[in-house]
Amino acid sequence: MSALPLIIDTDTASDDAVALLLAAAGGHARVHAVTTVAGNVPLDLATRNALISLEMAGAADVPVHPGCERPMLRSPSHAQHVHGEDGMGDLGLPAPRSSPGTRHAVEVLLSEAGRFPGRFTLVTLGPLTNLAAALLQDRDLLTRYRHVYCMAGAADARGNVSATAEFNVWADPEAARVVLSAATPGKMTWIGWDASRQDAVMTTGDQLHLERLGTPMATFAHRVNRTVAVWAREVTGLDGYDLPDPLAMAVALRPDLVVEREVARVDIAVGEEARGQMLVDRRRGATAEPNVTLVRRVDTAGFKKMLFDTCARTVQPVRTEEPA
Ligand code: RIB
Ligand code: CA
């Protein structure tokens, strides 16, 4: 199977970091570029964490281009209380050896798809601010990607950042609306927090298995998620911490892992009461055509096999990660 050419847009916190390992070291893809966006952490930390994660995956040659440092209209909201102040479990990780690229993320998202129409799969792992800004310049941009997979939303309106909203959409709901206004089900797939909390929960046994693999990537993936593990125990009530971004990445790399999907017409609430909630219209003959494919359930065992197989690999990381 040939490696899938990928571009990844990320707000790099601890689960994004694991998604980057899957993409860069899993053997399923060739990462062409990474673009960063403010979200879980401020932009400079998202960029730093992306560089660190790619070095850990032996992919220090992949360029990382910083993008938007705030949502389209709203004040920035971060999730450092979930992922740690640095977004990576506050391990005191050494600074990356590589440096960010000098091009803006939005220009990269536009130019690479324009130069090579239909070649790249785009995976977004954070707020959709960069993609929305690119769409405002080129409304047909999505047609120039092979497919766009977004870790976004909660199709069952059971939220993680509010009663009804998922963080990436809640952080910049206007950007999500811009993206959905240009989307079609054949070009855009959303993997929501509903799928993650059902099919991507790392139980205590899973966490022990990951830790006992003992490779640099497995140790890195286990330790950077130590803060989110506490959050899961104390707040979400799940049977462990979930991995939304790695699940979205796994679906992009192996769409055969999808167990249940649907197409629907989706818009996003922007009023304060329901900020970021997905408005999912499943009515047949609804006034507006479906605009997105929603992944509802994923093969948990297949996802975790990909995760463990990737982390069990030993690559030549540029960095030697000395845990604090
Ligand atoms: O709501 C899940 C999203 O926000 C993921 O991208 C994850 O990084 C979390 O912080
Ligand atoms: Ca993310």
Side-chain angles (χ1 to χ4, degrees):
M1 177 185 69
S2 61
L4 186 71
L6 271 191
I7 293 177
I8 303 167
D9 189 70
T10 174
D11 61 339
T12 330
S14 52
D15 66 314
D16 304 67
V18 177
L20 289 172
L21 298 184
L22 294 184
H28 300 276
R30 183 179 51 76
V31 184
H32 178 70
V34 172
T35 55
T36 56
V37 65
N40 285 322
V41 292
L43 181 65
D44 60 334
L45 279 176
T47 305
R48 180 185 192 273
N49 295 342
L51 290 166
I52 288 171
S53 303
L54 289 167
E55 289 177 0
M56 181 54 64
D61 57 320
V62 174
V64 177
H65 303 283
C68 298
E69 59 184 359
R70 57 176 301 126
M72 293 181 80
L73 297 177
R74 298 170 186 265
S75 305
S77 303
H78 303 308
Q80 289 158 292
H81 57 294
V82 176
H83 298 273
E85 276 308 301
D86 69 355
M88 302 278 268
D90 293 332
L91 298 174
L93 292 170
R97 294 186 186 175
S98 38
S99 302
T102 55
R103 298 167 65 192
H104 191 283
V106 174
E107 186 263 320
V108 171
L109 292 175
L110 288 162
S111 68
E112 300 315 286
R115 288 170 59 202
F116 307 106
R119 173 182 295 186
F120 295 114
T121 293
L122 172 64
V123 181
T124 72
L125 305 174
L128 293 165
T129 316
N130 285 342
L131 183 54
L135 281 164
L136 293 180
Q137 293 189 46
D138 176 2
R139 176 136 186 90
D140 298 325
L141 180 62
L142 300 182
T143 66
R144 294 189 235 292
Y145 279 96
R146 177 175 177 166
H147 202 90
V148 181
Y149 293 89
C150 304
M151 192 281 131
D156 61 357
R158 176 172 165 177
N160 60 1
V161 69
S162 74
T164 59
E166 175 279 323
F167 175 82
N168 288 339
V169 172
W170 177 88
D172 196 345
E174 287 77 16
R177 293 196 84 190
V178 168
V179 169
L180 287 170
S181 71
T184 58
K187 279 290 181 182
M188 178 157 280
T189 296
W190 281 22
I191 301 92
W193 193 61
D194 50 311
S196 179
R197 65 176 177 78
Q198 294 177 93
D199 299 326
V201 174
M202 293 289 283
T203 64
T204 304
D206 292 326
Q207 294 172 43
L208 275 175
H209 179 73
L210 182 61
E211 184 180 24
R212 287 172 178 163
L213 288 175
T215 59
M217 282 198 290
T219 302
F220 173 76
H222 173 69
R223 293 180 60 81
V224 295
N225 280 291
R226 69 177 183 172
T227 310
V228 75
V230 172
W231 168 264
R233 265 198 309 277
E234 295 176 358
V235 178
T236 63
L238 298 178
D239 184 26
Y241 63 84
D242 67 305
L243 287 174
D245 292 341
L247 188 72
M249 183 61 72
V251 166
L253 299 176
R254 289 253 328 265
D256 61 294
L257 290 174
V258 174
V259 171
E260 181 187 328
R261 58 168 60 85
E262 62 174 326
V263 297
R265 181 71 191 186
V266 177
D267 196 355
I268 303 297
V270 292
E272 282 317 300
E273 294 80 4
R275 170 184 170 177
Q277 181 177 338
M278 287 174 66
L279 309 175
V280 184
D281 193 342
R282 297 179 176 89
R283 293 172 298 163
R284 299 193 185 294
T287 48
E289 286 297 305
N291 57 349
V292 63
T293 296
L294 303 175
V295 169
R296 303 305 311 271
R297 296 305 299 265
V298 180
D299 170 2
T300 298
F303 163 63
K304 291 182 180 178
K305 184 179 188 308
M306 180 192 285
L307 173 66
F308 294 138
D309 287 354
T310 299
C311 290
R313 290 182 164 199
T314 300
V315 296
Q316 294 308 317
V318 171
R319 58 191 299 107
T320 50
E321 194 258 319
E322 295 300 326

